[in-house]
Amino acid sequence: MEGIDSGTTAWLLISSALVMLMTPGLAFFYGGMSRAKSVLNMMLMSFASIALVSVLWVVAGYSLAYDTAGPLVGGLGYLGVTGLIGEVDGGIPVLLDVGFQMMFAVITVALISGAIADRAKFGAWLLFVPLWSLLVYSPVAYWVWGDGWIGALEIGGYGVVDFAGGTAVHINAGAAALALTFVLGRRKGFGSESMRPHNLPFVLLGAALLWFGWFGFNAGSAYAADGTAALALLNTQVATAAATGAWMLVERIRYGKATALGFASGAVAGLVAITPAAADLTPLGSIALGLIAGGVCAYAISWKYKFKYDDALDVVGIHMVGGIIGSLLIGLLAASSANGSAGLLYGGTFGLLAVQAVGVVGVLVYSFAVTYIIAKLIDLVMGFRIPEHVETNGLDAELHAETAYAFDELDELEGAEPSSPTPPGEEVASQQARS
């Protein structure tokens, strides 16, 4: 195809695959943090997001996010993306951009699911995903990366900096997660029962896959195999590493122990914070950002107990708070030697910090408000929350007629009496009836 830069195209193809891998990684991360009786349901929420958003993105999502129109949402000129076949822009096939940005749309929706673990109807989630993707994600992506109002905003000569998704992905998903916790309410036993992660090796595996895929997320957002991509990759690594140390230090101070869960959570907090800033900080500035994000997010996850909202897997405390930290600290830590803009600590003015704050608040307010309305409407139409007996018995058995672990077989291998053996057909029928 004429006009294609093969090196850039190859890098974007690889980056797209890396970002796609992040959603299965998220499924393992969230699945390991869930309770054993609901792990499959939790993981399916991520995998269902892959299926639903992929189709919807091609049909309408990409057009709403990237077809130039007014300041609030894109147009309908790219519906179905058929008209983009054979088109080349910036040395890459335009369809490759469709695919790369599709993976961002997929994981943004999947991120929200962790906040409502153990208590959401799977059917309601399947309705929420396309509605949120079209009504919240696509417009916000247009604001930030298309021709919307955030991209056009300027204060003191500075425009909003969001290299790979601090506002469009993480603050967006975190604000939506917070809204859903208010609609669905708290889990049975929240604050009084132990709800510890059931499988920490899953959590570490998920964190590793997220970390690996994030190089495509951040370095791929350079849209070239160049120095900007190299800076983004290095900054991503060191910010994440610093955040793990800060998180575990906070754990050590508060609880006397550093934990595997803390390491994994700190890594994700660092990845989130560096996302908007990956091309605008020096490596030393990225280390400072990671230290701040890891320490603050380690405290932020406990706010749910103080303010009584049940953010089950800490989406608000990590993604919303981490996204805010990363977006705002650009106003302090951005270095002109990196990508042009200078923060306050590098001789810049308050303009950059101010414009970053406006972008953050705009996304927070819109995402929270529209998500709350969507969730409330779904709740009125079909109910969003599962019945109490389903929550008690576990979503895997009740909603999906299967379990992650065959406990009866494990009992037999260990010489114990199997618990309540039931013929498979009768078990599935019984589970379906209770659902």
Side-chain angles (χ1 to χ4, degrees), residues 111-187:
L111 287 172
I112 302 168
S113 64
I116 55 173
D118 295 329
R119 61 198 189 277
K121 289 183 178 178
F122 190 61
W125 175 251
L126 296 181
L127 179 57
F128 173 82
V129 167
L131 289 174
W132 192 87
S133 182
L134 286 176
L135 299 176
V136 181
Y137 180 78
S138 286
V140 172
Y142 180 75
W143 296 353
V144 177
W145 295 319
D147 290 310
W149 70 271
I150 289 180
L153 189 64
E154 187 175 302
I155 298 177
Y158 293 97
V160 174
V161 176
D162 188 352
F163 185 68
T167 53
V169 176
H170 298 292
I171 294 174
N172 198 5
L178 183 61
L180 285 186
T181 65
F182 290 130
V183 175
L184 272 74
R186 297 187 290 269
R187 287 167 293 175

Side-chain angles (χ1 to χ4, degrees), residues 37-38 386 388-400:
K37 61 184 179 180
S38 298
I386 56 173
E388 185 174 313
H389 76 276
V390 176
E391 183 177 352
T392 299
N393 295 336
L395 278 67
D396 291 352
E398 293 282 351
L399 300 184
H400 306 291

